[in-house]
Amino acid sequence: MGCDHSIYMFQGDPMAGGQISLISDRIGIAFGEAWVKDGVGNLFFFSNRTGIYQLVPGQQPQRISQQIDSTLIGIDTGTNSIRMTWDDVFQGFHVFVTPLGAAAATTHFFYEARAGAWWQDTFSNPNHNPIASCQFDGNNPDDRVVVIGSWDGVVRYLDRNAQTDDTRIIIS
C-alpha cells in the first residue's frame, strides 16, 4: 500500500493471521497510477520525492532514476497526472507526466529494463498526451499494446512500426 510518505506490505489474508509490514516511513508513492509491476512481480513507482524506485519483494526500495533526477525534481505531482504502464513489447515501462489543467507540451519517460536505460518521449501534439493508460493484453500478438486515452478524447495505441503519429512524422 503506497501512502504519501510511507509504504506498507500486506502478507497473507488479514482475516486469517496475515500481517502488515512497514517497508518505508520516508518514501511514499505519488498520487494516482504512479506505479507499475513487471512480469515477475517487481514494483516500480514514482515517489513522493519525485524519484523513481524499484521494489523487489522482500527488499527495500532502490532508486533507479539517478540519470534523470535533475529533470524529475521539477515535476509538480499536484498539477500533473503521473501514470506508469508496463510495456511487454519494449520490456520496460512508460512514465506519462501529463498536465491536469489543460493540454500542454510535456516530457514523458520510458525505462528500458533490460539495459537499465532511460529515454525521453514527447508527443508533437499536446492533445495526444495521455491522461489514462493501460497495457491491453490480447490473444493476438498484434493486440498486446499500450493503450492511451488523450486530451482530445481519442484512444490510441503505441505502435512500434508507425512512421507517423496522426499524420505528424515521428522523430526518433
Side-chain angles (χ1 to χ4, degrees):
M1 178 174 66
C3 302
D4 188 41
H5 289 88
S6 58
I7 300 172
Y8 294 87
M9 180 175 67
F10 294 84
Q11 294 174 294
D13 184 343
M15 298 299 289
Q19 65 182 24
I20 301 172
S21 303
L22 177 67
I23 301 297
S24 174
D25 62 356
R26 297 194 61 210
I27 300 169
I29 299 177
F31 179 78
E33 300 287 325
W35 62 274
V36 68
K37 284 176 67 175
D38 67 10
V40 295
N42 297 312
L43 177 74
F44 298 89
F45 63 91
F46 194 102
S47 82
N48 61 310
R49 298 171 165 227
T50 65
I52 298 175
Y53 288 77
Q54 178 179 8
L55 179 57
V56 175
Q59 299 180 15
Q60 288 295 307
Q62 299 296 314
R63 192 177 199 111
I64 62 168
S65 60
Q66 291 86 344
Q67 300 96 322
I68 60 169
D69 277 347
S70 62
T71 304
L72 296 178
I73 198 73
I75 295 173
D76 183 339
T77 59
T79 61
N80 289 283
S81 166
I82 311 296
R83 300 193 64 84
M84 296 173 66
T85 304
W86 183 260
D87 191 325
D88 277 329
V89 172
F90 294 112
Q91 290 297 296
F93 59 85
H94 299 273
V95 181
F96 297 119
V97 180
T98 302
L100 290 170
T106 188
T107 299
H108 310 286
F109 304 91
F110 180 78
Y111 180 72
E112 185 180 355
R114 292 174 290 200
W118 286 99
W119 303 92
Q120 292 188 13
D121 291 324
T122 58
F123 291 94
S124 62
N125 183 339
N127 282 315
H128 295 179
N129 287 321
I131 54 174
S133 66
C134 70
Q135 178 171 344
F136 184 75
D137 185 16
N139 293 329
N140 183 315
D142 292 335
D143 291 339
R144 297 177 193 136
V145 295
V146 171
V147 178
I148 58 173
S150 304
W151 271 102
D152 60 2
V154 175
V155 175
R156 296 175 174 84
Y157 68 94
L158 302 181
D159 181 354
R160 65 179 156 177
N161 298 315
Q163 300 293 313
T164 62
D165 178 12
D166 285 356
T167 70
R168 294 181 184 213
I169 300 215
I170 296 174
I171 301 168
S172 65

